[in-house]
Amino acid sequence: MTILMCNSEESDLLNVDDQFLISGKLFESRLMVGTGKYKNIKDASKSIIMSQASIVTVAVRRLQSASNLKSDRLLDFLPLDSLWLLPNTAGCTTAQEAIRVAALGREMCARLDQVDNNFVKLEVIADPQYLLPDPIGTLKAAEYLVNKGYTVLPYIYPDPMLAKQLEDIGCATIMPLASPIGSGKGLQNMENMQIIINNASVPVIIDAGLGTSSDAVKAMEIGSTAVLVNSAIAYAKSPTLMAEAMRLGVISGRYAYLAKRMTKSDRAIASSPGTGIIF
């Protein structure tokens, strides 16, 4: 990380605050990335490594058998000793289905030598057209999984009341969507997301719909703990370059949030003094 000259207090802040905790586990990068939708394994592996992400999501359904695990070459190209896997329940349409897939995800992590990995990105999506998460199914599955010792990261529509309910039952984070999955529309419901961030005492990770690095900057500027990006990188003309752009966007947005922006004014304010002008 490159840091410009600053006093010791600012230097400590920039160095230390870049890390964050989920359920007691420390992560270096606030950019989380997905592993799907890439044209090929080469693009996927290079982009994930370029992003310098600490957490990568993996669809359990794609890796739920031992034979698939061994044949999924993407995992062979990733540094699993330094990357934390986040199994997700993508494709599940009911709470019961998501619970079963979460168990497969925990088993998958154990077979990849992450035996203490109980994380699960909980997705319950019954809507095939807009892919909006089911709030009732998500709440039911989350409560069950939390009680079974999982570290649950629920994917939700940006509903502040649902977010608070999920936090109250013990979810480790809240993951509101910025806009529909794969749409690239960016942050579409800023007011609700700001309410969720302001009310949360757990990390808030903005997930889905980010299209470019400026979306990541804005998400971090409003106080998001982290962002999760997949389609914006995988569908870019140069996925590796977009991965780098997202990495820098997250850092830039985080620094801007910590710096606290200037107060807006309805009038222009001169930057030079009005006295001592030479005519």
Side-chain angles (χ1 to χ4, degrees):
M1 180 188 301
T2 300
I3 297 177
L4 300 179
M5 294 297 293
C6 51
N7 63 41
S8 60
E9 182 180 347
E10 289 172 334
S11 180
D12 289 344
L13 180 63
L14 294 179
N15 276 308
V16 174
D17 205 79
D18 213 32
Q19 302 173 334
F20 72 105
L21 288 167
I22 298 178
S23 191
K25 186 168 180 62
L26 186 67
F27 296 101
E28 296 287 338
S29 172
R30 293 176 181 269
L31 173 60
M32 302 160 61
V33 296
T35 54
K37 304 181 180 181
Y38 289 92
K39 293 179 181 177
N40 52 61
I41 290 173
K42 181 180 178 181
D43 281 353
S45 60
K46 286 180 63 178
S47 299
I48 292 167
I49 292 169
M50 179 69 78
S51 74
Q52 296 185 25
S54 300
I55 300 173
V56 293
T57 61
V58 182
V60 176
R61 286 179 171 272
R62 187 164 58 92
L63 299 173
Q64 60 185 324
S65 72
S67 59
N68 284 342
L69 265 179
K70 292 175 182 176
S71 64
D72 192 283
R73 293 184 58 237
L74 176 57
L75 294 178
D76 295 335
F77 286 90
L78 297 180
L80 296 182
D81 55 337
S82 60
L83 279 175
W84 191 250
L85 293 178
L86 176 58
N88 71 56
T89 63
C92 294
T93 60
T94 66
Q96 294 76 16
E97 194 175 8
I99 289 167
R100 290 195 297 270
V101 172
L104 292 170
R106 182 152 66 175
E107 179 184 340
M108 175 192 78
C109 289
R111 285 185 280 128
L112 291 169
D113 296 326
Q114 295 190 2
V115 293
D116 59 340
N117 189 342
N118 294 316
F119 280 44
V120 59
K121 182 191 173 191
L122 178 61
E123 298 183 26
V124 182
I125 300 175
D127 167 27
Q129 183 173 3
Y130 298 103
L131 301 179
L132 296 175
D134 173 7
I136 297 173
T138 300
L139 189 61
K140 287 180 178 178
E143 186 169 21
Y144 178 89
L145 291 170
V146 166
N147 290 334
K148 291 295 183 180
Y150 287 83
T151 298
V152 181
L153 291 72
Y155 169 67
I156 65 168
Y157 186 81
D159 177 346
M161 295 307 298
L162 176 61
K164 196 60 183 173
Q165 288 175 313
L166 288 163
E167 181 181 336
D168 288 345
I169 65 172
C171 287
T173 73
I174 303 299
M175 300 184 74
L177 59 87
S179 52
I181 294 172
S183 68
K185 291 183 176 181
L187 283 72
Q188 296 290 296
N189 201 330
M190 291 284 287
E191 290 184 4
N192 277 19
M193 283 188 283
Q194 191 68 75
I195 293 170
I196 290 172
I197 290 167
N198 292 346
N199 288 343
S201 58
V202 296
V204 176
I205 301 166
I206 293 182
D207 176 20
L210 301 185
T212 189
S213 60
S214 59
D215 296 329
V217 172
K218 178 57 68 177
M220 299 305 296
E221 282 182 342
I222 66 172
S224 174
T225 308
V227 298
L228 197 160
V229 182
N230 190 177
S231 299
I233 297 175
Y235 290 159
K237 186 173 182 180
S238 172
T240 53
L241 195 57
M242 183 59 77
E244 174 71 354
M246 287 292 184
R247 184 185 72 82
L248 295 172
V250 167
I251 294 172
S252 174
R254 179 63 180 171
Y255 283 7
Y257 171 75
L258 294 173
K260 306 302 178 190
R261 64 160 293 140
M262 65 174 287
T263 302
K264 294 181 180 180
S265 173
D266 293 331
R267 301 175 60 183
I269 302 173
S271 57
S272 301
T275 59
I277 298 175
I278 300 174
F279 295 96

